[in-house]
Structures are given as C-alpha cells and as structure tokens.
Amino acid sequence: MMEGCLGLLGGGGSSGASTNKSTLSKVEVVETEASSYPVEAELELGLGLSLGGGGCGGGGGGKGKANAWGECGRILTAKDFPSVVAQPLRPSSNNSMPSTCAVGAVSGTKRAADSVSHDQGGSPTAGSQVVGWPPIRAYRMNSLVNQAKAARAEEDKGNGEKDRSNENLKKKICNVNKTNATGNEKGHLGFVKVNMDGVPIGRKVDLNAHACYETLAQALEEMFLKSATTITSIGGEKQQVSKPSKLLDGSSEFELTYEDKEGDWMLVGDVPWRMFLTSVKRLRIMRTSEANGLAPRLQEKNEKQRRKPV
Amino acid sequence: MNYFPDEVLEHIFDFVTSQRDRNSVSQVCKPWYKIESSSRPKVFVGNCYAISPQRVIERFPGLKSITLKGKPHFADFNLVPHDWGGFVYPWIEAFARKSVGLEELKLKRMIISDECLELISRSFPNFKSLVLVSCDGFTTDGLAAIASNCRFLRELDLQENDVEDHRGHWLSCFPDTCTSLVSLNFACLKGEVNLAALERLIARSPNLRSLRLNHAVPLDVLQSILIRAPHLVDLGVGSYVNDPDSETYNKLVMAIRNCMSVKSLSGFLEVAPPCLSAFHLICPNLTSLNLSYAPGIHGTELIKLIRHCRKLQRLWILDCIGDGGLEVVASTCKDLQEIRVFPSDPYIGNAAVTEAGLVALSSGCPKLHSILYFCQQMTNAALITVAKNCPNFTRFRLCILDPTKPDAETNQPFDEGFGAIVHSCKGLRRLSMAGLLTDQVFLYIGMHAKQLEMLSIAFAGNTDKGMQYLLNGCKKLRKLEIRDCPFGNAALLMDVGKYETMRSLWMSSCEVTLEACKSLAKKMPRLNVEIINENDQMDVSADDRQKVEKMFLYRTLAGRRKDAPEFVWTL
C-alpha cells in the first residue's frame, strides 16, 4: 500500500534551476572537446538526482500497478533521503512523475538550504530505511549501534534533558532502563534472519533500528507483505494480502514468531521488548494456521483483541 | 634460460612471491609455466566461482596455501541475500580427496560450516593457519574441532565473522601438547570463553606474538596474560572495565611496562572509565592503532593517547576524535600511511568531523596513501587541496553520510573535487565516492584514473554516458560496483568484451533491463551473468523490458555454478 507520491518534481526552485544551467554549459564545453563522444543536440545532463531504478512506472507507459518493479518491495533510494537537494528530474523520461514513489522523500528548496546546517539532516530518521547505507560492514554496524545505544542510555541517566532528535526520543520512550555493563549479549544484537512462509528467500532485519514491536512489525510488513500484492510465489500460490495488516494483533493471516535461545518458537509480543531482544535468535512470519500450539499471547493489549478464531 | 635445470629455475622462482609476478613468470614460455605452476605454494583466487577447485589442484599440485573470496563486496552491506553462495565446502572436499598438503587457508566473505571446519581439521595433518574474514555459517563447535585436531596450529585469526556462539569449551579443546600458537584472534566472538583455559593456553605458547581478545576477557585476566606473554607484538584488549584505584589496575600498569614489543594495539570493546593512560607507555612503539570498536573513549582521551604515538603508520578511529583530534594526528604522526575514520553513530554521524579534518591530515602526513573517511559534509575546495597535498593516494574512499549531499559551501556536485583527486593521484588503485555527483566526474575518472582497479559508486551520475566514460577510460579496472545510478542498457552493452578483463561487475537499482542482461549473457559465454531475484519480483516468463534489481556478473572458467539458490538466475 503506497502512501502516495512524494515526488521530487515541480517546485524545483529557482536556485536549482540556475545551478543547472551553469553545470550544463560547463559540460557542454567538455563534450565538444572530447572527440570520442558525439555532441548531442539534447543534453540530458543536469543536476538531476540519480534516481537509480528510477521510473516507478517502468519502461513503457504503464503507470499503474502493472510493473512489479515500480512498486513495493523496491529498495529505497535517494528519493527517500529527506534532505536531498531539490532538482528537477532529468528530462529523459516522458512519464511526468513517478506515481508510486516509496515513502519518505520530501525535498523542497527550503529543506535543501537547511540541510547544510542541520545537524542530522543527512540521515534517514528511522534507522535503516535504506538498505545497505551507509556502507559499513554489518558486523561493525551491529557493534556500533549497540554500543551507541548503551552509551546514550548512560548519558541519559546522567544528563536528564538534552536536545535530541526524534529518533532518539522514540528510542528513549521505548527503551526503558536499558542497562549497560554486564550484558554479555551486548554484541549479539543486530541483524537477525527473517523467513516468511511461502517465500523462498530470507531477509535480515536490524533489531537495533527498532525500539518497540510496532516499528519492527511495520518494517517487516514493508519488507514482506507489501511485495505480496504483485508476487506470485514459486510454489504457485498467490499471496493475496490486499492490504497490509498488523502482524501483531492477529488480524492478518500471518503471525510473527521468533525462535528463542532455547530453540522454542514463540509468538512475538509476549514479553517486554528488552527481554525479547536478549532472547531472540531469529524470526519467522508464520501462517496463522500453523501458529496454533505456540505459547499463547498474553491478553495485555485490550484494544487489539481482534483475534482470529483458532 | 632454457639450459638451466628445473631445480635451479624453481629455486629462482621461490624468490618471486607475489601472485601477480608469478602469473607473469608463468606466461614467459611453456617450460616456465610448468615449473612455476608445479612449484607455486600460495594461490590466490579472488572469486571462488571463477575457477573450479579441480582445475586449481591440477595446475598447482604443490599448493600449500590458498586464499579464496566469495560473496561480492556489497554483501558486506546486506545487499546480497544471505544464501547467495560462496560455499567453501566443495573446495575443502576436493583438497581432501586429492590429498593436497594444505597448510594455510584464508577466506573472505564465504560460508563455512562446522562440518567443513571438522573436515579441515581431520584432512590436513600439517594445517597451520586459518584466517576467516567476514565469513559465517559456523559456530564455536567448528572452532573446537580445529583446536582439537590441528596439532601444529600456528594461527587462528577470526576477523569480523558472524559466529554462532554455543558458549562451548572450544578454548579448552587445545590439547596440552599444543604449544605452537603464534597468533590467536577471537575478538569477534560474542560469548563467554573459558578464562582458565585461555590463561593456560597462553602460558604454554612461547611463540605467541599476536593475541586479540573478545569482550568477555576482563581486566584481571588481561593483566595475568600480559605477564605470561611479554613478547606480544599485537594486542587486542577485550574488556577494559577497571577501577583506577585498585590493585588490579596497578598490576596492569606494571604488566604493560613489560610489553614493550607491542607494536599494534586494538580492541577496547568495553571501556569504563575511558582512561587509557596505562597504555601511554607503549604508545611510542605503536605502528598500528585500531580504536574503531571503542566508542566508550571520548575525543579528549583519544587525543591524549595519540600525542604519544609518534611512530604510528596505521590508525583506525571513530569520528568522535573530531577535526581537532585529526589535527593532532596530523602534527604527531608523521609516518602515517593509512587512516580510517568511522562514524560512531552510523545513522546520524558526528558533526565533529568535517572536511577540515581531511585537509589537516593531507597537509600533515606526507606518507599518507590510504584513507577511508566518513563524514557529514565535504567541499570541493577541500578535495582539491587534499589532492594537491597528497598526490600519493593509492586508496581513497570518502563517504558522506547523506549520499546525494552537495558541496557544503557552494551546493555544487563534487565532480571537481574528485576530478582533482584522480588527476593528481596517478597511482590511485581504489576509489569510492559519495555526495552529489554528475556524469562529469566519470568523464574525469575515465580520463585520469589510469591505474584504477576498484571503483564503488552509489547514487551518482545522470545518464549512460557516466558509465561509458568509465568503461572506456579505466583500462585496469577489475572490480566495479554500482548501486542506485541511472546507468542502463546502452552503458552495459557498450563494450561487452571489457568484462572479461575484469573480475566482476555489480549493478543494483540501476536502469538495466532483463533483455540487456540476457543479450550480454548470450554474447559472452565466459561470463556468468547472475540476476538476484529477491521477493519473487520476476518469474521466468518475465517481461524482458523489466528492470533488473540486482545483477552480478563475473568472468569464469567454471561455467554456471551448480550451487546457486532458487532466487539466483544465471542467464
């Protein structure tokens, strides 16, 4: 379920346009000098953002959902960086605007001006939204994020109020009393494997990027269930999940489960988040029909008692 | 030369050690090929799928040491599904079957199972050295097998692996008769270790020169270890949680005084309080310092430490050192050759490190030739200055945490900055760039980066021309990895023969379509063109005009691989 288009077009901004021109002219000059490359009547160069995997509408004209590539399971790209400098898209494509951009990208010229001075302007706000960025080895990421969290917890204890980003606030709220020192498990957190029934290939999710079950479930839904709308699994079954349902409240046909240190499979959500983190080994999105017989969920969350009849 | 007996030639070739030189030697003439091949002890295979183990054994029957690399580099950043490949078992199984006298095994980004480790430990009686870098698939049980059975083990070096820790007694598995250890690195293990067994092992290893501990080794054990191993040259401290007023701490200071051979220091996986003055004594001898896994240490403390490190050649550090700290590095470490500055918070970064730090390093350290620098902002002016100051760069990797961010002062792309780098650094072999970049920078790279072998690009360029400039101009290019760039079929198919001169090409989230990949695969039978089809985004009858999300192609003599999982198609 796409959350609308947050395209980068339009409102390119005057500053953008003028920079465009000067770069264009510079490149034009170079072009004529490099004899191996024919001068083209129409230069496509500009400061257009490299959109990589660009046109969500796909090669032809189809802008609808026809093209699996355009939608859903796509790895987020530059579009999703909130502080990206606003430039008009390169004019190469006739499709006006990618109608199904992935979420997160809003860039007006204002933002661009801010981004330079903005302390954390550069980064995706909610942890690892862009796969594989920044380019740091997963092993190092795991240790750093763990240690940074622990350090922040230490600071928080000592300092009280500090100016923090939204991300940190969210983590603070969800991360009650995360203790430092004795954790032998400290270096252990990070990416855990996730498999989903019916999907042949597993993924990995970074537990450090989440501070509570809700964001984790949302991330997993993004990863697995969204792509289900246009997928035909190899086994020939169609995953007909028309809109993403919450994995946590039992209203989906899938349940989120995890294997703990003892090798038992449990339903996710039973225990406090912190405890979950110390015992989870890997995750599995199981068909509800198969999830019977797992440890029953605690009936804490009264608002979400829309449990499917077993 | 043909009149020399083979033994003489062989003896002469013994002095030729680098793989490249030996490759050259073997191409001089047939007799030289035969002699060189039959006597080559060390083999390097940069892509385990480029050649079959059988072929390697046939050609190099005297093989004693092998280095294998598996997954593409971008697997480090979770861009490659876990089971893509890189299984080492077939190699070990082939070596075992043919009774290869394997003594050394070095793997990078490969999957190695406990069964495989067990097989190694039982099949090669002279096995001496196991080095695993960024590998996974094994547990501490596999390590136990190595410890138990490799009677002459000299080196067990585990770097940044994902090891499932069964908290077993693998350290206790080294028999009492094992006294041959020279190097032991288990810093990446997450679990507890048997401390008593560790101490006993070290006590009976008089040749131990390199020891890197994991976080589970506390200070008092460190102290007792240092007493027993005063000849250590390379030390990785595990946990450094101490009480400066305690007896243990005093004993530690004394122990460190005895370890004046230490030239390389790393670790400090847990630090409290962040005071490293105990180590100031050995700092003047240090040539290598890696504090990139020690975020507990503040900038001021780091600076104090570094002021003592006048002989430093290699420094890996976190960005909490700040521009100020880098200036201290620049004024203190005149022998510095390599520096890596990592972000302490990967998502937000640290505003303390900017282009100023980079410029300071370039002007203060005349021998600097290798850099990896994470920062939040950069300017073209800085890059141009750096290029002028340091024409000797061989490796230049810059990562701006926001990958499409422009020059912080002028809002321009970084074309001119990186252009200056490639123009000035004529010996540049490895480059990775970030920030806003247009096709222009690729024009510069194609024109000037004549020695470039490896290039990593992300979120850069505007049209196919960018990639075309590269393929056309960089004659020595071996590895090219591209993500999220608008390069498409015209670029991919411009010069298909080029890919046989390269090890591999990775393209993800670009504009390349299935049709072009199929066409390429058809034209070039000695390339494996693999499409990674995650989430079933494509099926066999997919429209050829669909864009390919992830493509990895590599030259190979082994044909399509037989262990590709379902989601990998070799076209």
Side-chain angles (χ1 to χ4, degrees), chain A residues 19 22-23 26-27 30-31 34 36-38 40 43-56 58-60 66-69 71-78 81 83-85 87 90 112 115-116 118-124 127-128 130-141 143-145 147-148 151-152 165 167-168 171 180-188 191 193 198-204 206 209 223-224 227 230-234 261 281, chain B residues 75-79 81-83 108-109 133-134 136 159-162 164 167 187-192 215-216 268-270 290 292-295 316 318 342-349 351 374 376-377 399-413 415-416 433-434 436-440 443-444 447 458-463 465 468-470 472-473 483-486 509-511 532-539 543 545-550 566-567:
Chain A
T19 353
S22 56
T23 307
K26 188 168 21 175
V27 174
V30 175
E31 282 277 0
S36 30
Y37 305 99
E40 294 194 342
L43 281 175
E44 292 189 322
L45 294 173
L47 286 182
L49 292 162
S50 64
L51 296 177
C56 290
N67 189 349
W69 286 110
E71 300 189 326
C72 315
R74 236 195 130 277
I75 291 174
L76 306 182
T77 63
F81 286 94
S83 72
V84 126
V85 176
Q87 304 290 348
R90 54 197 174 85
S115 71
V116 174
H118 203 227
D119 197 46
Q120 70 249 18
S123 36
S128 50
V130 179
V131 177
W133 196 267
I136 300 175
R137 252 186 208 167
Y139 175 87
R140 183 179 286 280
M141 274 286 226
S143 347
L144 287 180
V145 178
Q147 288 167 322
R152 247 183 262 130
S165 70
E167 180 203 7
N168 292 354
K171 282 190 175 166
N180 187 356
T182 55
N184 292 325
E185 319 292 351
K186 255 187 21 178
H188 154 265
F191 289 93
K193 300 182 195 161
V199 176
I201 151 190
R203 304 292 298 273
K204 274 189 176 181
D206 181 5
M223 229 187 249
F224 286 94
S227 39
T230 50
I231 286 173
T232 311
S233 82
I234 285 188
K261 292 227 152 356
K281 261 177 45 177
Chain B
D76 279 351
F77 318 132
N78 283 319
L79 286 175
H82 177 254
D83 306 323
K108 188 168 186 181
R109 279 190 289 273
V133 182
S134 294
D136 67 334
Q159 298 175 30
E160 300 189 338
N161 301 292
D162 185 9
E164 202 173 303
R167 268 168 267 284
C188 66
L189 293 187
K190 302 162 201 143
E192 303 300 309
H215 73 94
F268 297 94
L269 308 174
E270 261 181 72
N290 180 355
S292 63
Y293 282 104
W316 290 24
L318 291 172
F342 293 98
S344 41
D345 185 330
Y347 299 123
I348 292 179
F374 283 85
Q376 269 202 298
Q377 65 174 57
C399 179
I400 301 172
L401 287 168
D402 177 355
T404 55
K405 194 166 182 173
D407 182 320
E409 276 167 10
T410 65
N411 254 359
Q412 296 291 311
D415 304 337
E416 298 307 309
M433 314 185 286
L436 190 62
L437 293 161
T438 74
D439 283 351
Q440 180 74 355
L443 179 68
Y444 291 146
M447 266 166 43
F459 305 101
N462 311 103
T463 72
K465 290 222 186 63
Q468 286 167 339
Y469 295 147
L470 283 179
N472 212 40
R483 65 164 294 184
D484 294 275
C485 297
S509 305
C510 296
E511 302 280 320
I532 296 173
N533 182 26
E534 281 182 300
N535 300 329
D536 289 326
Q537 274 157 340
M538 285 178 142
D539 54 52
D543 182 356
R545 282 168 300 159
Q546 274 197 351
K547 283 194 211 134
V548 164
E549 190 58 31
K550 290 180 181 171
E566 280 178 341
F567 52 87

Side-chain angles (χ1 to χ4, degrees), chain B residues 8-82:
Chain B
V8 174
L9 281 175
E10 214 178 283
H11 183 66
I12 296 174
F13 293 165
D14 276 350
F15 293 98
V16 181
T17 47
S18 96
Q19 173 110 337
R20 283 193 195 187
D21 289 343
R22 289 203 73 118
N23 287 344
S24 308
V25 162
S26 69
Q27 284 172 345
V28 167
C29 60
K30 276 216 171 88
W32 280 35
Y33 178 93
K34 271 178 60 187
I35 297 169
E36 191 285 315
S37 300
S38 65
S39 63
R40 189 186 302 196
K42 265 191 177 167
V43 176
F44 172 85
V45 179
N47 174 3
C48 64
Y49 291 120
I51 190 164
S52 71
Q54 288 73 17
R55 226 173 138 151
V56 170
I57 297 169
E58 262 171 46
R59 180 163 169 201
F60 303 112
L63 166 67
K64 286 195 168 44
S65 158
I66 188 158
T67 302
L68 291 167
K69 293 190 181 181
K71 301 184 193 178
H73 175 232
F74 275 177
D76 279 351
F77 318 132
N78 283 319
L79 286 175
V80 178
H82 177 254

